[in-house]
Amino acid sequence: MKKVLTLVLASFALLFLCENSYAQRLFKNRSRVAQLEARIDSLQKAYDSLYVEYQAMLQPVNGEGDDNAYDESEPLQTIEYNADNIDSLLNLYYVQKMMDVNAVDMAEIDRDTLVSNIPDSVYVRRLENMGSFIPVQFNRYVKNSIILYTEKLSITPRILGLYSYYGPIMEEIFDEYNLPKELVCMAIIESAFNPKAVSRARAKGMWQFMYGTAKSYGLTMNSFVEERFDPVASCHAAAKYLRDSYMVFGDWSLAIASYNCGTGNVNKAIRRSGGKTDFWSVYQYLPRETRGYFPAFIAALYTLKYYREHAITPAQIALPAHVDTFHVNKMLHFNQISEVIGVPVEQLRDINPQYVHDIIPGNERTYILKIPYSYTNAFADKEEEIYKYKDTVFFNPVRIKHIKESGGGDGQRVVYKVKSGDNLGSIARRYRTTVANIKRWNGLKNNNLRVGQRLYIYGSGSAGKVSSGDGETAAQKSTPTANTKDGYVMYTIQKGDTLSKIASRHGVSLSSLYKLNNMNAKTKLQPGKKIRIKKAE
């Protein structure tokens, strides 16, 4: 009996020791995991910091401190232009920093009821007297928008100041395409006339083009040039888009709405409304943000006409009244021009915003340089000297190679599907970007992810190898292979296709598809049918 009892006690003791040992190991493992997680967070922060510093080091250096460097941490304020701070002119660089591309909340127009001391009858009479080619109406949504622009927004004086400069240029472009000049007002809604505006979704420029749409309308986006930032080139593209959209809908209010949500969403709203084809009849079937878009257009049009009645004074903008253009066929840096003939670099950037690294890659093809008229003779006289000035410094092979390898525009947007075990740090490292970028692109307020969540990742960074299901680009979404027949690139229509999607996918315009295939806006697509895309090269 004693032997049995001794054996039982020994077994319990052994079991206790084993459990205690396991508990200790488990505690140590958990402690070790916590330490590792803290270490990973610390390394990620260090990585993000180094990434930002590395990008900053790649910026051109002219050997002198930049007294006008903009500190993002400082509160935004109106900066007067001249050196003595006695002028009322606003430097465009600072205006752009103060412009928020999302300043107007379209949903607010639909949701709220704003109040003004001005009677409705006054608004109605003024709208009737505008004589707009595009029909305008008055209702509570339009009233909300008018009050927003004339009484609530602090940026309205700056919008009016920029309109005085860009408005005539854009009106001339729309006139070239036989389109209503009133369409200029769309740039107010899109960007408040900010040529360097970038939205959270990576739409860029005064006309807020996404990469795919910009490419299909012929804008250049590469390592050195971003034509979405070029007010003239992007306005030509916007005019072509609006011309195509009007061909689809035959109604300017719907064409304008489609600029915000796409022709597909407008067509969907038309179907849901029972086939009605004017903005106010399909209003409730449009995406919420788009519902406020046309009312905002009417309000912008109203504001340009009646700002004096609301005691609004346009801000004066420091842009040269007259510029000259030169064809550039060699590599040229803004600092070469500035240091030889004295044009301020910031002024060159203001009137040539498409050259994102201050470099014009004229050795690749002919590009246009705009110069303030007062410097025209100096540039013409010293052009060859300017090209040779410090060329080995400004076009250092290492830096040029890095710029080329970094890509341009946004590349193709990557859609990444979150898997079990993923975190923002690991995804950022995979795509060679930062956690802050991923959070900004996707509107994330914290680091929490859920399995199956889709993340949008932009830029030149790409994973070394992405397995199927990890992520896909727009060009990888099971696009059927096009073939060639009778001198044309042919495409087989798939279920769910629309002509606008096909045009965007293949980098052609909607109007060209209509012409090549004898189609119009009412043509129904039949899956399996082949259509012409473009002439074969």
Side-chain angles (χ1 to χ4, degrees):
M1 184 67 181
K2 288 183 179 180
K3 289 182 179 181
V4 174
L5 184 59
T6 302
L7 184 60
V8 170
L9 290 174
S11 299
F12 274 117
L14 181 62
L15 181 63
F16 174 77
L17 288 173
C18 289
E19 288 183 349
N20 190 45
S21 177
Y22 173 75
Q24 289 176 348
R25 287 200 306 273
L26 183 62
F27 177 77
K28 288 181 179 179
N29 285 340
R30 287 178 177 172
S31 177
R32 180 61 177 161
V33 168
Q35 291 175 359
L36 288 173
E37 287 178 344
R39 181 60 176 162
I40 289 171
D41 288 342
S42 175
L43 288 171
Q44 183 61 53
K45 290 177 181 178
Y47 170 84
D48 287 356
S49 176
L50 288 171
Y51 179 90
V52 173
E53 288 183 22
Y54 174 65
Q55 294 296 322
M57 289 173 63
L58 295 171
Q59 298 304 311
V61 177
N62 61 11
E64 298 179 6
D66 185 359
D67 294 332
N68 294 320
Y70 180 82
D71 185 356
E72 294 284 357
S73 65
E74 293 180 1
L76 296 175
Q77 54 183 324
T78 300
I79 306 296
E80 296 182 347
Y81 182 64
N82 71 356
D84 298 321
N85 253 10
I86 58 173
D87 203 331
S88 63
L89 297 177
L90 295 174
N91 185 311
L92 183 62
Y93 173 73
Y94 292 102
V95 171
Q96 290 170 1
K97 289 294 182 181
M98 290 184 286
M99 291 293 197
D100 181 1
V101 73
N102 300 307
V104 178
D105 182 359
M106 295 298 173
E108 181 179 298
I109 294 170
D110 175 66
R111 182 180 60 241
D112 297 344
T113 299
L114 303 182
V115 178
S116 172
N117 293 327
I118 298 176
D120 288 358
S121 59
V122 174
Y123 290 130
V124 172
R125 186 180 70 254
R126 288 175 179 174
L127 289 171
E128 289 174 349
N129 291 337
M130 283 199 310
S132 172
F133 179 84
I134 298 174
V136 298
Q137 299 81 18
F138 181 79
N139 53 39
R140 76 178 184 90
Y141 308 118
V142 172
K143 181 180 178 180
N144 278 349
S145 301
I146 291 174
I147 295 172
L148 200 60
Y149 275 105
T150 57
E151 299 182 26
K152 304 293 184 182
L153 288 181
S154 62
I155 64 172
T156 298
R158 295 193 289 274
I159 291 174
L160 294 169
L162 290 168
Y163 169 75
S164 66
Y165 185 85
Y166 291 115
I169 297 171
M170 294 182 176
E171 287 173 358
E172 186 175 338
I173 292 172
F174 283 116
D175 188 57
E176 181 182 331
Y177 290 88
N178 294 316
L179 300 178
K181 295 179 181 179
E182 290 91 339
L183 293 173
V184 170
C185 290
M186 291 175 61
I188 296 177
I189 311 166
E190 291 295 327
S191 65
F193 286 123
N194 179 359
K196 298 296 288 289
V198 179
S199 75
R200 192 179 69 193
R202 306 303 290 169
K204 291 184 177 181
M206 196 174 287
W207 289 92
Q208 289 291 283
F209 275 103
M210 295 295 288
Y211 180 90
T213 309
K215 186 176 180 182
S216 68
Y217 281 92
L219 293 180
T220 297
M221 293 163 289
N222 59 39
S223 304
F224 296 96
V225 183
E226 174 55 90
E227 282 194 332
R228 287 179 288 179
F229 289 157
D230 183 341
V232 174
S234 62
C235 187
H236 276 283
K240 293 173 185 176
Y241 178 95
L242 289 164
R243 180 188 61 189
D244 288 349
S245 189
Y246 184 74
M247 287 176 63
V248 173
F249 301 112
D251 179 272
W252 278 117
S253 63
L254 293 181
I256 290 168
S258 77
Y259 198 92
N260 178 255
C261 67
T263 55
N265 279 320
V266 174
N267 275 322
K268 190 185 297 182
I270 291 172
R271 288 196 301 272
R272 289 176 175 174
S273 71
K276 296 175 182 176
T277 55
D278 70 276
F279 179 83
W280 299 109
S281 297
V282 304
Y283 179 89
Q284 62 181 318
Y285 303 104
L286 290 167
R288 181 173 292 275
E289 181 178 336
T290 305
R291 294 177 197 172
Y293 197 81
F294 188 60
F297 171 82
I298 296 174
L301 201 59
Y302 171 95
T303 304
L304 293 181
K305 179 74 173 178
Y306 295 111
Y307 66 87
R308 295 181 187 85
E309 284 77 355
H310 291 267
I312 302 172
T313 303
Q316 292 179 282
I317 305 298
L319 284 166
H322 302 286
V323 299
D324 241 330
T325 58
F326 288 85
H327 289 86
V328 176
N329 298 295
K330 301 176 183 179
M331 294 288 281
L332 182 63
H333 199 291
F334 287 172
N335 280 336
Q336 289 178 295
I337 305 169
S338 178
E339 293 182 24
V340 174
I341 64 173
V343 188
V345 170
E346 283 301 334
Q347 198 167 52
L348 290 172
R349 290 172 181 161
D350 287 347
I351 58 180
N352 300 279
Q354 66 271 34
Y355 301 119
V356 292
H357 295 285
D358 294 348
I359 295 173
I360 304 175
N363 60 331
E364 296 179 358
R365 65 165 236 211
T366 300
Y367 283 98
I368 297 296
L369 167 70
K370 292 179 182 177
I371 291 281
Y373 183 76
S374 56
Y375 293 93
T376 297
N377 291 336
F379 184 88
D381 292 342
K382 298 185 177 182
E383 188 168 358
E384 287 305 315
E385 179 186 341
I386 291 170
Y387 283 124
K388 294 176 182 178
Y389 179 79
K390 292 186 180 180
D391 55 348
T392 57
V393 175
F394 291 117
F395 307 120
N396 179 290
V398 175
R399 171 163 170 74
I400 296 301
K401 181 182 178 182
H402 172 80
I403 292 174
K404 289 182 176 180
E405 289 177 349
S406 70
D410 295 319
Q412 294 291 339
R413 180 181 72 173
V414 173
V415 183
Y416 181 82
K417 191 173 182 180
V418 176
K419 303 188 303 297
S420 178
D422 276 341
N423 59 64
L424 287 177
S426 64
I427 297 170
R429 289 189 293 276
R430 176 189 293 256
Y431 288 95
R432 295 199 283 273
T433 185
T434 67
V435 169
N437 280 342
I438 296 177
K439 291 173 73 173
R440 176 168 56 85
W441 293 332
N442 294 276
L444 302 178
K445 295 181 179 179
N446 53 49
N447 294 338
N448 297 332
L449 297 175
R450 66 178 186 279
V451 174
Q453 181 178 354
R454 293 182 182 274
L455 297 176
Y456 298 120
I457 301 172
Y458 300 86
S460 57
S462 60
K465 183 176 181 180
V466 182
S467 61
S468 60
D470 276 356
E472 60 179 353
T473 66
Q476 294 170 330
K477 293 183 179 178
S478 60
T479 303
T481 304
N483 51 37
T484 304
K485 182 181 178 182
D486 298 331
Y488 288 93
V489 175
M490 307 297 292
Y491 173 81
T492 303
I493 297 172
Q494 306 295 305
K495 185 178 180 180
D497 273 344
T498 65
L499 282 178
S500 59
K501 286 181 181 178
I502 296 170
S504 177
R505 188 181 298 151
H506 292 278
V508 298
S509 68
L510 191 59
S511 58
S512 69
L513 288 184
Y514 285 152
K515 292 176 183 177
L516 285 176
N517 298 281
N518 295 320
M519 293 178 168
N520 56 47
K522 297 181 180 179
T523 303
K524 293 184 178 180
L525 300 186
Q526 299 176 353
K529 182 180 178 181
K530 292 183 181 293
I531 62 171
R532 293 174 175 178
I533 299 296
K534 58 185 176 180
K535 286 187 176 181
E537 297 178 354

